[in-house]
Amino acid sequence: MTHDHSSSGIGASATAKLSVTHVSKGFSSVNGQVVKAIGDANLSIAEGEFAAFIGPSGCGKSTLLYMIAGFERPTSGTVAMNGHSIDRPRPDRGIVFQEYVLFPWLTVEGNIRFGLDVQNRRDAVSDERVRHLISVVGLTGFENAYPHTLSGGMQQRVAIARALAYDPEVLLMDEPFGALDAQTKRRLINDFIRVWEESRKTVVFVTHSVEEALLLADKVYLFSARPSTIKQVFEVNLPRPRDITAPQFIELEKALLESLDEEVSKMMA
Amino acid sequence: MRLTMDTLRFCGPILFALAVWEGCSHLGLVSPILVPPPSAVFANILRLMHSDDGEMPVLLSHTLISFGRIFAGYGLAAVLCTGLGLLMGINRTIDAFFNPIITVLMPIPTLAWVPIVILWLGMSNATIIFVIFLAGMFPIIYNSAAGVRGISKKQLWAAEIMGATHHKIFFKVLLPGALPQIITGHILAVSNGWRALVGAEMLAGSGWGLGYMIFDARTFMDTETVYSGIVMIALLGLLIEKGLFSPLQHYTIERWGTVRAG
Ligand SMILES: Nc1ncnc2c1ncn2[C@@H]1O[C@H](COP(=O)(O)OP(=O)(O)OP(=O)(O)O)[C@@H](O)[C@H]1O
Ligand SMILES: [Mg+2]
């Protein structure tokens, strides 16, 4: 179920929704030294694929996600969507951050409508879409609440609805459940699977949690220690909702954890 | 009910301080000339607010003229400097140009400008208004710029990826995001404005204004009128705070939770 993914050819696949080809990324630090976060990343994500990025802390998962978003540019190599090189953030993508990053001056509904509003798309269809989203993410009754009055879990529901409301082709998520307690997290994951199954959008999901990755993703991309490459890709061919006690699940979890631990200890060294 | 409680809580300590002051006066602990009792000051205010011949009472005239000057000087600073501050927060080039100039000018006490402004504009209303403008300029620019710089990169990224243009980012993200600091700048501008007003009216007073009235009464040792002027300034300051800034904060940043409610 796993295969080596260090060859570069796959990244250039023409049918890919997202392709990352020989991407490197360095940051210059204060004292002028260059930190090479990503060494040579290659991957391609198919239309409708739920992809998870996992790897040791500081290996460049967020950095690669931000390059796909168009917030950052690669030092070398190309990041492309639908075969076109990504040059800046555009509304064909949506983002969810770990820290929610809602607009505190807008109500729940105002936040969710933000994308539609700034794109001047206010009509019956979009109104209906917003109403539907509010209900599927479980925020009915809170439309007029301000974000600071909501719990962390509810704020993240708003952030997810906000990113989906304007119907982007790709949803990018940077540890969206990382700040939540285990209980809230489990409920949110289940709800999110339901929401995702309605549209089956392409998702790139960064996480620290092996379990989270295996519960959600079609493919798990394991990053190596810095300067990172994609060390391994794990395919998860299990029907959703997944059972964390199923033998195949446990087997995958074990393999993934082992491989991840290897990279984490390299990072510590 | 809530309002009367708030009013009580606010006025209680002030009334207490006034009562102590009144008591000290009557016990002869302080000189009735240098520190006249509050009752005498309020009686004086009533007297100055009274007019027999149908003309406007003098205290009211002084007050309205001072208020008008504050309004004009602060209003000018609010309109011109909020925009400049926000632009400096957004654009590095604009900031690089104005920042050194502002850094050099900011420590100069506003009143040091008065003699120069008198040379430019004469002993006129324009001089006083301009000095109030100067007093309001720096806090507004500085705080507005800082407000924009405090907005998180991720908030801007989120707006951008959702398709917001520069124009929309300005009005829908930067402006509301910087509002807590913008309001702080404006509150400081008004309070600096009052200080500058009193000084400028003393130096360039054209016969009117609370600052002029205080200065004039002092030369006649009319301390009750001096205190009356001070009380009017305090009341006007309170009026602006409770009538303008408090409601503005209440309906925006307190409701949004971007500042703690007071
Ligand atoms: N703006 C930046 N300036 C300098 N260095 C940066 C910047 N952004 C990221 N880095 C560095 O790049 C490396 C990768 O960072 P990144 O945030 O992508 O890691 P990550 O895999 O998301 O880590 P985590 O799992 O802890 O979130 C880190 O060493 C980080 O210090
Ligand atoms: Mg990260």
Side-chain angles (χ1 to χ4, degrees):
Chain A
M1 261 202 234
T2 70
H3 59 266
D4 191 82
H5 199 293
S6 52
S7 68
S8 58
I10 302 158
S13 161
T15 57
K17 186 75 188 171
L18 294 168
S19 63
V20 172
T21 319
H22 289 306
V23 163
S24 76
K25 177 73 180 176
F27 291 103
S28 37
S29 61
V30 219
N31 50 27
Q33 271 183 322
V34 175
V35 177
K36 191 132 195 173
I38 299 175
D40 181 13
N42 293 282
L43 59 89
S44 89
I45 295 168
E47 169 95 52
E49 177 180 331
F50 198 126
F53 288 178
I54 201 164
S57 181
C59 69
K61 304 180 293 294
S62 297
T63 302
L64 185 56
L65 194 78
Y66 296 163
M67 289 193 282
I68 297 171
F71 302 147
E72 310 249 17
R73 307 298 308 272
T75 304
S76 67
T78 54
V79 181
M81 176 164 164
N82 299 324
H84 301 288
S85 176
I86 289 169
D87 58 347
R88 63 184 181 85
R90 277 176 211 279
D92 52 9
R93 280 149 281 157
I95 186 116
V96 178
F97 295 105
Q98 178 175 1
E99 318 88 332
Y100 327 132
V101 198
L102 297 174
F103 302 122
W105 46 90
L106 297 178
T107 60
V108 165
E109 190 174 343
N111 268 283
I112 296 173
R113 279 190 176 286
F114 188 91
L116 292 164
D117 282 348
V118 296
Q119 295 168 34
N120 301 316
R121 284 165 56 190
R122 271 201 100 142
D123 50 37
V125 181
S126 69
D127 281 357
E128 182 45 43
R129 198 181 156 74
V130 167
R131 235 191 327 272
H132 175 70
L133 261 173
I134 288 175
S135 103
V136 288
V137 298
L139 287 165
T140 309
F142 292 93
E143 291 87 345
N144 297 317
Y146 283 93
H148 75 107
T149 64
L150 304 179
S151 69
M154 284 167 80
Q155 292 192 46
Q156 197 57 298
R157 289 168 188 269
V158 178
I160 291 169
R162 179 178 73 174
L164 289 171
Y166 58 94
D167 203 17
E169 295 169 39
V170 172
L171 183 60
L172 307 171
M173 308 177 90
D174 194 2
E175 300 191 41
F177 309 133
L180 305 175
D181 64 90
Q183 203 93 22
T184 311
K185 184 156 127 172
R186 223 173 352 253
R187 282 194 40 207
L188 204 44
I189 288 176
N190 287 333
D191 287 354
F192 179 62
I193 290 174
R194 276 212 333 271
V195 175
W196 176 73
E197 285 189 327
E198 278 187 4
S199 62
R200 297 221 163 229
K201 278 181 200 309
T202 312
V203 177
V204 184
F205 185 98
V206 174
T207 180
H208 265 125
S209 154
V210 169
E211 186 183 290
E212 217 171 89
L214 293 176
L215 271 174
L216 287 162
D218 297 311
K219 284 189 188 176
V220 182
Y221 298 80
L222 175 64
F223 284 53
S224 73
R226 203 174 48 219
S228 58
T229 58
I230 308 300
K231 183 192 177 194
Q232 233 176 344
V233 182
F234 293 78
E235 288 191 35
V236 192
N237 292 316
L238 299 170
R240 297 183 187 84
R242 291 176 181 151
D243 177 8
I244 57 169
T245 56
Q248 299 108 302
F249 192 97
I250 292 170
E251 191 189 318
L252 262 173
E253 195 173 21
K254 201 163 156 263
L256 184 45
L257 258 177
E258 243 166 50
S259 197
L260 176 61
D261 277 348
E262 223 170 82
E263 296 311 312
V264 172
S265 39
K266 272 189 216 160
M267 207 73 159
M268 300 295 191
Chain B
M1 190 59 216
R2 165 94 206 281
L3 200 69
T4 51
M5 273 308 290
D6 283 352
T7 313
L8 269 180
R9 219 176 322 207
F10 183 83
C11 295
I14 297 171
L15 290 174
F16 178 76
L18 289 177
V20 171
W21 175 7
E22 183 81 32
C24 290
S25 252
H26 285 290
L27 293 171
L29 296 174
V30 290
S31 148
I33 305 289
L34 295 180
V35 192
S39 55
V41 174
F42 283 106
N44 188 55
I45 289 176
L46 290 179
R47 195 172 53 75
L48 293 173
M49 278 295 191
H50 183 75
S51 150
D52 289 322
D53 48 15
E55 291 205 5
M56 193 180 275
V58 281
L59 185 56
L60 191 59
S61 302
H62 285 304
T63 305
L64 287 178
I65 284 169
S66 287
F67 191 73
R69 287 167 176 164
I70 286 284
F71 190 80
Y74 156 68
L76 214 57
V79 171
L80 297 177
C81 299
T82 310
L84 177 61
L86 295 175
L87 285 175
M88 284 173 62
I90 295 164
N91 186 294
R92 257 171 233 245
T93 319
I94 296 175
D95 186 61
F97 181 78
F98 284 103
N99 203 334
I101 300 175
I102 288 169
T103 307
V104 169
L105 295 181
M106 197 147 64
I108 302 172
T110 315
L111 288 184
W113 294 106
V114 176
I116 301 167
V117 181
I118 289 175
L119 291 178
W120 294 344
L121 301 171
M123 303 275 280
S124 65
N125 244 335
T127 295
I128 297 168
I129 290 171
F130 189 70
V131 170
I132 296 166
F133 167 79
L134 287 176
M137 213 171 119
F138 298 115
I140 291 180
I141 293 177
Y142 191 85
N143 284 286
S144 304
V148 170
R149 284 192 212 103
I151 293 169
S152 81
K153 188 165 67 174
K154 286 182 181 173
Q155 230 157 26
L156 297 174
W157 279 351
E160 227 180 318
I161 204 168
M162 285 190 272
T165 55
H166 285 310
H167 175 258
K168 292 214 161 117
I169 287 177
F170 182 85
F171 286 104
K172 287 179 174 266
V173 182
L174 294 175
L175 203 55
L179 199 61
Q181 305 237 41
I182 293 175
I183 293 176
T184 302
H186 284 229
I187 290 173
L188 287 173
V190 171
S191 68
N192 280 3
W194 279 109
R195 279 179 232 173
L197 169 97
V198 173
E201 282 180 345
M202 287 177 180
L203 296 171
S206 40
W208 288 104
L210 290 171
Y212 176 80
M213 185 188 88
I214 291 170
F215 194 64
D216 190 47
R218 187 205 61 112
T219 51
F220 297 105
M221 274 308 271
D222 179 5
T223 49
E224 287 179 7
T225 300
V226 172
Y227 280 91
S228 300
I230 292 171
V231 168
M232 291 313 288
I233 291 171
L235 286 177
L236 283 181
L238 194 64
L239 181 75
I240 294 177
E241 164 63 26
K242 295 289 174 195
L244 178 64
F245 292 122
S246 282
L248 180 62
Q249 285 173 310
H250 179 72
Y251 286 108
T252 57
I253 57 184
E254 282 175 16
R255 169 168 298 188
W256 306 336
T258 45
V259 295
R260 265 178 296 122

